[in-house]
Amino acid sequence: MQPTEENIQYAITAINLTKAFGEFIAVDHISFNIKQGEIFGFLGANGAGKTTAMRMLCGLSKPTSGEATVAGFDVSTQPESIKKNIGYMSQKFSLYEDLTVMENIRFYAGIYGLSDKDIKEKVRIYYNTYTSIMKKNKLVGSLPLGWKQKLSFSIALIHEPKIVFLDEPTGGVDPLTRREFWEMIYAASQRGTTLFVTTHYMDEAEYCHRVSIMVDGSIAALGTPAELKKQFAAESMSDVFLQLARQATRQAD
Amino acid sequence: MKSISVENLSKSFVNGKETVEAVKPLSFEIDKAELFGFIGPDGAGKTTLIRMLTTLILADTGTATVDGFDVVMNYKEIRKRVGYMPGKFSLYQDLSVQENLEFFATIFQTTVKANYHLIKDIYDQLAPFADRPAGKLSGGMKQKLALCCALIHKPTVLFLDEPTTGVDAVSRKEFWEMLKRLQQKGITILVSTPYMDEASLCDRVALMQDGKFLRIDTPSQIIKNYSKTLLAVKGKEMFPLLQHLQRIEGIEMAYPFGEYHHVVLQNDATSIDLLKSQLQSTQELEIKPATPDIEDCFIYAMQNN
């Protein structure tokens, strides 16, 4: 697909995106547009279809029907181009535990095809951020979880992708580091990166520009946190979420 | 008699050339039928502490009793009496729901029937899947089965290690309602969690960080003891506002807190009016006093640890 005016202004578009596994419709005609630089919260109970939807958007799973573009590329026909243009931080820590911080950085920069010159530059920049934890030339496996997560995020950004998918990036992280992590998200958004985030912390839903809530494979609500709270006459995003998720009929996972 | 009594219990691990003090010497007591929470992030020492109390690892220093029995001398007695649900799913994946339950009942020389009243509420939801292998259950159902298996021998003390991690807000709420009902049956419950909002559901909590208790008290008392002035601040552009707040003198801390930023004032010399004048350029500015919650207490205690 040629980039046109319409799909350039949005980082992600989805029109009736659907995924069925046999009889089971995991994701059922979801539609949304996400703007460049937007922090988009993607919420839903366990089993609502978040992971399946995210896998389609990352080019890892083919939709059964419907369309979606990510960074201007079609998820069905151009998954490889999508993979080059997105960053992904998995819920499960997936850096190399037996390598040091710098070795991980060099490795991932190499994998994403950065030139030697660019890799050197990245190492120089990252060195400043991670200098406090690198004094002992530590292996990544021995870092506290909060630092691991910050490092994973930095590495997801290493090839300067237009869009980054973050799957529960702050689970189990202490409250201070969790907030520092969100400051990193804000900073990336200000540089124009689009962030697609899932979380179980409802206060984090408030930090997103817009939030969608999936129930039984469909998007049950979509809007800014202020709009959603108004729409559901709720005091907090947690109330909004509970109201919607309780309507679910599908069994979790 | 206290249900649990701990004195100077500590544990270190050697990791290569480094020694990690997973649990620094801790002392505390837990009452019978108390619902007690260990609240803290990954790496705080919650699991190590629970594993010492369930007699799965030996402490380096100190003593502990569970139900009046010493964790070293009378470990066998303790194992008969406590229920333990580890953070990692540890039932037999190839056995069905029913088989797992019967297996654990038999191991403890009892029957499912004898203590069915304890698990009835929970098991009713599992019953439609009685013949399904445990490994093929959804996350929420696995968790319910694990709880049933931990309860089937009618334990006096129940240890739950991060039962709600990675679980959505609705299922978490339901899980806590189950715990409350078990507590009413006289079972002492120790539960660990990284979710600060679950603290308010416990009778007492220990806020844990780096192997230490930052606070140990009732949730309401911990909040009462928060001595700082806390404000909630909101504006049109939240991130620039946060950066601005963090540079203002007289502000000890500023961090995102849901819809608002929370601002901890250094002393009373800084007032709302003074802050307003410094933030004149902020569009749609709103400043109001805020009531701290457990997370504010945790953040403050962590920073001043």
Side-chain angles (χ1 to χ4, degrees):
Chain A
M1 180 191 325
Q2 283 299 308
T4 64
E5 192 78 66
E6 205 180 27
N7 57 30
I8 262 182
Q9 58 177 327
Y10 290 116
I12 302 177
T13 67
I15 306 165
N16 291 325
L17 192 67
T18 300
K19 179 81 185 185
F21 299 104
E23 297 273 287
F24 180 70
I25 302 169
V27 175
D28 193 359
H29 294 83
I30 61 170
S31 303
F32 50 79
N33 293 320
I34 301 176
K35 289 190 283 286
Q36 272 172 32
E38 190 167 11
I39 304 173
F40 190 81
F42 197 60
L43 310 188
N46 301 105
K50 298 192 301 287
T51 305
T52 307
M54 196 137 95
R55 285 179 57 82
M56 285 193 280
L57 295 174
C58 293
L60 298 171
S61 163
K62 267 203 175 172
T64 310
S65 65
E67 296 168 34
T69 64
V70 174
F73 298 104
D74 189 288
V75 294
S76 300
T77 58
Q78 301 167 294
E80 292 313 311
S81 303
I82 289 177
K83 287 176 199 166
K84 283 183 197 133
N85 282 281
I86 62 168
Y88 176 72
M89 181 178 157
S90 128
Q91 186 177 342
K92 191 173 170 296
F93 183 70
S94 41
L95 302 183
Y96 289 90
E97 303 227 335
D98 297 335
L99 297 183
T100 66
V101 172
M102 279 302 138
E103 284 166 347
N104 266 291
I105 291 168
R106 266 190 228 114
F107 176 78
Y108 280 96
I111 287 275
Y112 277 105
L114 269 66
S115 67
D116 286 352
K117 190 170 148 260
D118 286 345
I119 294 176
K120 263 193 190 140
E121 178 62 12
K122 286 286 172 196
V123 167
R124 193 185 62 77
I125 296 168
Y126 281 36
Y127 185 80
N128 293 327
T129 313
Y130 295 101
T131 193
S132 64
I133 52 169
M134 287 195 333
K135 276 176 190 142
K136 296 172 201 155
N137 214 10
K138 270 191 175 175
L139 298 182
V140 159
S142 65
L143 295 178
L145 179 73
W147 276 104
K148 280 185 181 168
Q149 297 304 86
K150 283 186 194 172
L151 180 65
S152 298
F153 183 45
S154 300
I155 286 181
L157 290 168
I158 204 154
H159 54 300
E160 294 172 12
K162 297 184 181 81
I163 301 150
V164 179
F165 291 86
L166 304 169
D167 194 2
E168 283 183 43
T170 54
V173 173
D174 73 68
L176 262 183
T177 312
R178 198 152 73 78
R179 287 170 168 82
E180 286 164 12
F181 195 94
W182 272 90
E183 288 177 32
M184 289 173 75
I185 291 179
Y186 274 123
S189 155
Q190 283 207 322
R191 292 192 301 267
T193 311
T194 306
L195 296 118
F196 189 98
V197 191
T198 75
T199 179
H200 283 313
Y201 290 100
M202 287 304 127
D203 61 326
E204 295 187 345
E206 306 264 7
Y207 307 154
C208 299
H209 294 133
R210 282 191 308 151
V211 169
S212 80
I213 301 178
M214 273 187 92
V215 179
D216 289 348
S218 306
I219 289 183
L222 175 67
T224 64
E227 285 165 1
L228 293 182
K229 279 182 279 185
K230 207 172 153 195
Q231 186 186 339
F232 291 91
E235 284 215 338
S236 66
M237 281 306 292
S238 179
D239 293 340
V240 174
F241 184 83
L242 290 175
Q243 279 188 42
L244 284 169
R246 285 218 175 93
Q247 297 167 6
T249 53
R250 194 190 269 182
Q251 196 46 253
D253 299 330
Chain B
M1 190 183 69
K2 297 282 177 185
S3 186
I4 291 174
S5 164
V6 172
E7 231 183 288
N8 285 321
L9 206 66
S10 77
K11 181 79 184 175
S12 297
F13 294 103
V14 179
N15 186 359
K17 285 175 195 158
E18 262 180 289
T19 302
V20 182
E21 284 184 273
V23 173
K24 291 166 184 157
L26 291 177
S27 302
F28 60 95
E29 289 181 325
I30 295 174
D31 283 320
K32 271 213 160 85
E34 189 171 10
L35 178 47
F36 190 95
F38 295 129
I39 318 276
D42 213 77
K46 307 186 298 290
T47 299
T48 305
L49 183 52
I50 289 177
R51 290 175 64 82
M52 288 191 283
L53 295 176
T54 46
T55 78
L56 297 171
I57 52 172
L58 289 170
D60 294 337
T61 68
T63 56
T65 63
V66 175
D67 239 6
F69 295 100
D70 186 277
V71 289
V72 181
M73 303 298 290
N74 309 113
Y75 73 97
K76 280 188 178 164
E77 203 52 49
I78 292 176
R79 287 181 188 183
K80 278 185 212 158
R81 290 160 172 268
V82 305
Y84 171 50
M85 183 172 151
K88 190 173 170 288
F89 182 70
S90 321
L91 303 182
Y92 293 92
Q93 314 252 5
D94 299 339
L95 296 187
S96 71
V97 168
Q98 184 67 32
E99 285 166 343
N100 264 293
L101 203 54
E102 274 166 13
F103 176 80
F104 283 97
T106 311
I107 286 262
F108 284 103
Q109 295 173 328
T110 179
T111 59
V112 175
K113 208 176 154 199
N115 296 313
Y116 189 69
H117 63 282
L118 269 180
I119 61 163
K120 190 184 175 304
D121 284 356
I122 313 162
Y123 193 75
D124 278 350
Q125 302 168 55
L126 278 168
F129 312 103
D131 296 325
R132 191 181 289 190
K136 295 249 159 71
L137 292 174
S138 71
M141 287 292 159
K142 276 183 183 163
Q143 180 205 41
K144 286 184 181 120
L145 178 59
L147 183 60
C148 286
C149 291
L151 281 169
I152 200 61
H153 61 297
K154 204 179 174 199
T156 51
V157 186
L158 185 60
F159 292 89
L160 305 165
D161 197 3
E162 298 206 19
T164 55
T165 293
V167 174
D168 68 68
V170 177
S171 312
R172 285 208 278 142
K173 226 176 145 86
E174 285 174 3
F175 195 81
W176 277 92
E177 284 161 10
M178 285 191 283
L179 293 190
K180 286 272 174 200
R181 286 196 293 271
L182 289 171
Q183 182 194 14
Q184 282 158 14
K185 290 178 176 144
I187 300 175
T188 307
I189 303 175
L190 271 87
V191 56
S192 73
T193 177
Y195 294 103
M196 303 283 147
D197 58 344
E198 293 180 350
S200 62
L201 304 167
C202 302
D203 297 331
R204 278 194 311 147
V205 295
L207 305 186
M208 280 189 87
Q209 168 84 2
D210 291 333
K212 278 192 290 193
F213 287 170
L214 300 171
R215 301 279 187 276
I216 173 167
D217 214 326
T218 62
S220 59
Q221 195 57 43
I222 289 176
I223 289 167
K224 236 184 186 170
N225 290 346
Y226 189 84
S227 57
K228 288 285 173 172
T229 306
L230 188 71
L231 302 176
V233 182
K234 193 163 114 169
K236 191 166 181 239
E237 299 290 338
M238 289 301 275
F239 185 53
L241 174 62
L242 181 66
Q243 290 178 313
H244 191 167
L245 286 167
Q246 287 170 340
R247 284 195 305 267
I248 293 177
E249 228 173 281
I251 290 183
E252 190 170 338
M253 294 176 86
Y255 48 85
F257 204 93
E259 193 181 349
Y260 292 83
H261 294 321
H262 272 184
V263 171
V264 183
L265 299 183
Q266 229 151 40
N267 51 46
D268 295 335
T270 313
S271 65
I272 290 191
D273 290 338
L274 204 62
L275 202 56
K276 265 189 185 148
S277 68
Q278 286 184 295
L279 293 168
Q280 264 172 5
S281 59
T282 307
Q283 284 177 45
E284 298 170 26
L285 181 68
E286 185 190 337
I287 304 182
K288 60 178 189 184
T291 315
D293 77 4
I294 284 287
E295 195 150 14
D296 292 297
C297 298
F298 196 100
I299 289 173
Y300 192 76
M302 235 184 112
Q303 194 70 345
N304 294 280
N305 179 8

